[in-house]
């Protein structure tokens, strides 16, 4: 659905999503990097298990929650990627204490 502009010459950054290597660009947020690589679903809702996507991309809706470097409930749309970042797709409700 999303495609990077061929004019985007920013340096590549390697991140890991659920253990798989993903190429991102310096300056991307986690959500933008995942959308650009084709990983649309971020988490599943707690009640129905319905898949959720980033919606607002500015920190209002909380649909892009992911676990980043072992810390849960991070809004992927607000966190810039860094080399070697470990991201896990959150399943179900928000995780307390993680």
């Amino acid at each position: 659905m999303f495609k990077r502009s061929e004019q985007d010459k920013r340096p590549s950054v390697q991140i890991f999503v659920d253990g798989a290597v993903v190429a991102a660009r310096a300056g991307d947020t986690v959500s933008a990097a995942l959308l650009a690589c084709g990983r649309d679903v971020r988490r599943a809702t707690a009640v129905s298990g319905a898949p959720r996507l980033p919606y607002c991309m500015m920190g209002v809706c909380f649909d892009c929650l992911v676990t980043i470097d072992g810390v849960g409930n991070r809004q992927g749309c607000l966190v810039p990627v860094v080399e070697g970042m470990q991201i896990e797709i959150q399943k179900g409700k928000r995780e307390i204490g993680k």
Side-chain angles (χ1 to χ4, degrees), residues 16-18 65-68 70 86-90 98:
F16 298 88
V17 180
D18 290 335
L65 292 178
V66 291
T67 299
I68 300 173
Q86 301 283 330
I87 301 160
E88 298 171 42
I89 304 303
Q90 230 169 261
K98 186 171 180 184

Side-chain angles (χ1 to χ4, degrees), residues 17 30 34 37 40 42 49 58 60 83:
V17 180
V30 170
L34 294 176
C37 79
D40 290 339
R42 289 301 167 274
M58 62 182 188
V60 176
E83 184 71 35

